[in-house]
């Protein structure tokens, strides 16, 4: 009997703590602003940066806007939350580690993680307040300014190394850490990445923002040999290529060269996935580079693109922990991103409608 090209995918049973994420837990403060506001603080319409002293006033000003919204954020936390939402049951498939302050914003993050059924284990300290991220929305652009504060205080020996926490790490089979965490605790990332590599488990990472490749290239390249799946968008891919002297601005070529960078666990060929907004997603499939068109959406239905990249990764990871083929993981990623851009921040309806 001829085998159908698209047999019904067999979903592997998922268990608690199968997906592990670690990163900067931030409370997103989101508001629609105008060009004058961006100019005043020297912001590009579409960017992610770390807050400097000159941005202190920005936080005071944005909260005074009439329509300000607060959402649990932080890139990695968004992604594992979306993955959990896509999976639905069981609860707590996703584990999350990060550092918060002992304060009101920290309580909000705990409550939001619980509502999303994510098994969050925060390292709580009272030196610094819970981190925030100002999402300055203009049209379908978003300029993100992160004030890491407490998120920057994550300590490997105070949290990750504790037996009860490390046991949760060992339970996972898929790991995801956004590049943003390289600015906080590269030694924590390395410990998790090595564990994944030594046990032939899947370690995923994200280029996250152009400034990571530019200013944190050393820790990024220290982790790269352990990366099984690398995510990024077209701007981040171009910056990464420039920093590594790839001498090409062809995204497929960049994906190929990135795939061929040195790798520790040779049992798994590295997969590179670059999203390009409304243009095709580029991914390495075996030795070829393939383009995957995104779902069509009317510009008028795009409310805010904040969290689109995180959502793509979350959808992708939800299929990955269920051991789906790469094409299926990308399809799930495209679906999740398509849902998120219709809403403010990285928020989602009660249940996914993904088949």
């Amino acid at each position: 009997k001829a085998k159908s090209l698209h047999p019904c995918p067999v979903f592997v049973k998922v268990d608690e703590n199968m997906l592990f994420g670690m990163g900067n837990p931030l409370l997103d403060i989101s508001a629609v602003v105008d060009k004058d506001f961006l100019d005043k603080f020297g912001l590009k319409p579409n960017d992610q940066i770390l807050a400097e002293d000159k941005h202190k006033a920005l936080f005071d000003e944005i909260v005074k806007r009439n329509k300000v919204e607060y959402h649990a954020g932080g890139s990695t936390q968004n992604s594992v939350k979306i993955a959990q939402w896509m999976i639905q049951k069981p609860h707590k498939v996703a584990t999350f580690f990060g550092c918060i302050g002992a304060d009101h914003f920290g309580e909000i993050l705990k409550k939001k993680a619980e509502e999303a059924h994510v098994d969050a284990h925060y390292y709580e300290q009272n030196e610094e307040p819970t981190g925030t991220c100002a999402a300055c929305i203009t049209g379908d652009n978003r300029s993100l300014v992160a004030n890491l504060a407490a998120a920057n205080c994550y300590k490997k020996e105070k949290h990750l190394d504790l037996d009860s926490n490390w046991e949760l790490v060992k339970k996972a089979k898929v790991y995801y850490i956004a590049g943003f965490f390289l600015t906080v605790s590269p030694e924590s990332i390395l410990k998790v990445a090595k564990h994944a590599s030594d046990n032939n488990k899947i370690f995923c990472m994200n280029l996250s923002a152009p400034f990571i490749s530019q200013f944190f290239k050393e820790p990024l390249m220290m982790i790269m040999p352990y990366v099984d799946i690398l995510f990024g968008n077209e701007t981040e891919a171009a910056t990464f290529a420039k920093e590594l002297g790839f001498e090409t601005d062809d995204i497929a070529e960049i994906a190929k060269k990135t795939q061929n960078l040195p790798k520790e666990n040779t049992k798994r060929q590295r997969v590179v996935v670059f999203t390009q907004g409304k243009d095709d997603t580029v991914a390495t499939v075996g030795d070829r580079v393939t383009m995957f068109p995104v779902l069509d959406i009317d510009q008028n239905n795009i409310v805010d693109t904040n969290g689109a990249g995180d959502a793509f990764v979350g959808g992708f990871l939800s299929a990955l922990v269920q051991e789906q083929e790469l094409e299926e993981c990308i399809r799930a990623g495209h679906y999740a991103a398509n849902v998120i851009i219709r809403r403010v921040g990285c928020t989602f309806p009660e249940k996914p409608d993904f088949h």
Side-chain angles (χ1 to χ4, degrees):
K1 210 172 112 190
K3 230 175 113 186
S4 101
L5 280 177
H6 294 283
C8 219
V10 181
F11 286 90
V12 172
K13 187 183 168 298
V14 286
D15 292 315
E16 283 189 3
N17 308 110
M18 208 173 247
L19 171 64
F20 176 83
M22 176 166 63
N24 300 331
L26 305 173
L27 190 72
D28 281 354
I29 305 170
S30 176
V32 172
V33 300
D34 50 22
K35 191 177 176 305
D36 290 346
F37 184 90
L38 296 181
D39 292 344
K40 180 174 178 182
F41 295 104
L43 304 177
K44 292 178 191 159
N46 220 18
D47 203 8
Q48 310 96 313
I49 62 165
L50 291 178
E52 296 167 40
D53 283 343
K54 66 177 181 188
H55 299 116
K56 288 279 185 279
L58 180 150
F59 286 86
D60 302 333
E61 213 170 296
I62 202 164
V63 296
K64 293 195 186 97
R65 299 252 146 183
N66 49 4
K67 276 183 126 172
V68 61
E69 300 206 18
Y70 292 87
H71 298 284
S75 187
T76 305
Q77 185 166 245
N78 282 343
S79 293
V80 299
K81 211 174 264 189
I82 297 272
Q84 179 66 54
W85 171 71
M86 289 280 287
I87 292 165
Q88 290 283 306
K89 291 229 157 80
H91 292 163
K92 297 190 173 182
V93 168
T95 315
F96 180 76
F97 286 5
C99 182
I100 59 175
D103 51 27
H104 177 57
F105 281 177
E107 289 306 315
I108 295 178
L109 287 186
K110 279 196 265 189
K111 190 169 137 288
K112 294 289 185 189
E114 205 174 310
E115 283 169 9
H117 308 299
V118 167
D119 194 14
H121 292 256
Y122 296 114
Y123 168 49
E124 288 183 54
Q125 47 73 58
N126 38 31
E127 305 284 298
E128 286 281 343
T130 297
T132 49
C133 177
C136 311
I137 315 291
T138 52
D140 58 5
N141 284 323
R142 82 302 170 258
S143 197
L144 307 177
V145 184
N147 179 25
L148 297 184
N152 208 21
C153 301
Y154 190 84
K155 300 277 183 288
K156 176 176 165 289
E157 57 288 349
K158 291 261 175 74
H159 195 262
L160 186 68
D161 293 344
L162 303 183
D163 288 346
S164 57
N165 289 334
W166 189 248
E167 281 307 313
L168 287 170
V169 175
K170 293 199 313 204
K171 271 178 86 172
K173 65 173 193 188
V174 174
Y175 300 84
Y176 174 65
I177 300 176
F180 290 124
F181 202 58
L182 287 164
T183 76
V184 174
S185 185
E187 58 285 357
S188 296
I189 305 178
L190 190 61
K191 183 176 182 178
V192 171
K194 277 188 168 160
H195 167 79
S197 184
D198 293 346
N199 294 279
N200 195 28
K201 299 200 252 186
I202 304 174
F203 182 80
C204 314
M205 196 151 169
N206 204 315
L207 293 175
S208 291
F211 81 84
I212 298 293
S213 297
Q214 289 166 318
F215 307 113
F216 295 88
K217 182 169 132 190
E218 200 179 321
L220 174 62
M221 296 320 287
M222 172 180 80
I223 308 295
M224 198 57 75
Y226 303 97
V227 177
D228 295 301
I229 304 179
L230 182 72
F231 298 100
N233 68 20
E234 72 279 40
T235 327
E236 293 149 10
T239 306
F240 180 71
K242 204 166 123 202
E243 289 298 323
L244 266 72
F246 283 174
E247 293 184 349
T248 177
D249 47 16
D250 177 284
I251 191 137
E253 195 63 19
I254 295 171
K256 195 82 210 101
K257 288 189 178 221
T258 305
Q259 179 184 39
N260 292 331
L261 290 169
K263 192 164 187 308
E264 277 292 320
N265 176 13
T266 50
K267 290 198 206 67
R268 293 183 187 276
Q269 185 179 26
R270 182 180 292 123
V271 172
V272 179
V273 184
F274 291 145
T275 57
Q276 311 187 80
K278 60 182 184 309
D279 296 327
D280 293 3
T281 293
V282 179
T284 57
V285 184
D287 294 326
R288 303 218 317 281
V289 177
T290 311
M291 304 296 205
F292 297 89
V294 302
L295 294 163
D296 278 334
I297 183 167
D298 183 330
Q299 280 298 112
N300 300 324
N301 292 335
I302 300 179
V303 173
D304 126 29
T305 54
N306 184 19
D310 298 339
F312 173 81
V313 172
F316 187 105
L317 294 172
S318 72
L320 187 64
V321 293
Q322 297 175 84
E323 294 179 20
Q324 296 301 292
E325 292 297 318
L326 179 68
E327 290 81 67
E328 196 52 27
C329 294
I330 289 173
R331 200 171 73 81
H334 285 164
Y335 167 78
N338 186 275
V339 169
I340 293 309
I341 58 182
R342 297 166 190 268
R343 308 167 66 93
V344 173
C346 201
T347 60
F348 35 84
E350 194 193 342
K351 280 192 165 68
D353 176 26
F354 178 72
H355 306 288

